[in-house]
Amino acid sequence: MKKFLVALVAMFAVAFGASAQQIQLGYGGFTQMDNSDMHDGGSINNAWGALTAGVNFDVMPKLKLGVSYTFSSASFKHSDENAYYHVLMANAFYRYYSNSIVRLYGHLGIGADITHLSDDRGTKGYFAFQISPLGAEVGLSPKTAIFAELGYGAQGLLQAGVRFNL
């Protein structure tokens, strides 16, 4: 399963990387996986959030589409086992306000979560999503911007990061 996941990510990178207009890296806390049973039962002891990498494309003046990969993990209470979450999502970003520095937008993502459990329970698949009605991007330079999103899903309740325009 790990080889399949690596091959899928490589395929997205090759297919979209050459023509990508924006690359983003972010961190989000309190994810969908932390809050729901996407670990086949058991009580979660510690979850540290989610790291996300993605590529985005301008398709219309106010609309961007993209793909992202999110990684997160958690440990269980009363056990040494861990859950590792790998999320692939298709994303849409709709900008509803902008000026010369700030852009406000909404973000919707849908995809799949592949949860790998470190014990013998194997790998499970789940539906993953991200709904962030409030997102803000601030341009630091023509090529670099920082962003923050407030919403709920696999990328976190609050997600922040950096975007690079190519």
Side-chain angles (χ1 to χ4, degrees):
M1 184 53 107
K2 288 181 186 179
K3 290 180 184 178
F4 173 75
L5 185 62
V6 170
L8 191 59
V9 170
M11 180 187 71
F12 277 118
V14 169
F16 298 111
S19 63
Q21 294 167 335
Q22 187 178 67
I23 296 174
Q24 78 174 40
L25 302 170
Y27 171 80
F30 194 67
T31 67
Q32 168 191 5
M33 294 82 75
D34 301 338
N35 192 37
S36 59
D37 185 17
M38 295 177 76
H39 42 267
D40 197 29
S43 297
I44 292 294
N45 181 41
N46 187 21
W48 55 269
L51 294 173
T52 299
V55 294
N56 303 319
F57 311 90
D58 289 322
V59 293
M60 293 187 341
K62 292 186 173 190
L63 181 66
K64 286 185 183 185
L65 298 178
V67 293
S68 64
Y69 168 74
T70 302
F71 174 77
S72 183
S73 68
S75 62
F76 287 88
K77 290 181 181 176
H78 314 294
S79 173
D80 290 334
E81 68 183 85
N82 295 311
Y84 302 99
Y85 308 107
H86 304 275
V87 179
L88 292 171
M89 280 202 294
N91 299 287
F93 303 89
Y94 181 77
R95 187 177 68 237
Y96 50 84
Y97 172 81
S98 67
N99 62 26
S100 61
I101 299 172
V102 177
R103 290 168 290 286
L104 300 179
Y105 63 90
H107 169 201
L108 174 66
I110 57 171
D113 168 74
I114 301 166
T115 300
H116 174 71
L117 301 167
S118 63
D119 65 356
D120 293 332
R121 289 190 286 173
T123 302
K124 308 283 182 182
Y126 299 97
F127 175 75
F129 67 92
Q130 180 69 37
I131 300 172
S132 298
L134 181 59
E137 181 179 278
V138 177
L140 301 177
S141 75
K143 295 275 188 189
T144 308
I146 56 174
F147 72 93
E149 296 180 7
L150 184 61
Y152 180 74
Q155 295 174 346
L157 186 65
L158 176 63
Q159 179 181 202
V162 62
R163 291 187 174 128
F164 303 100
N165 296 320
L166 303 175

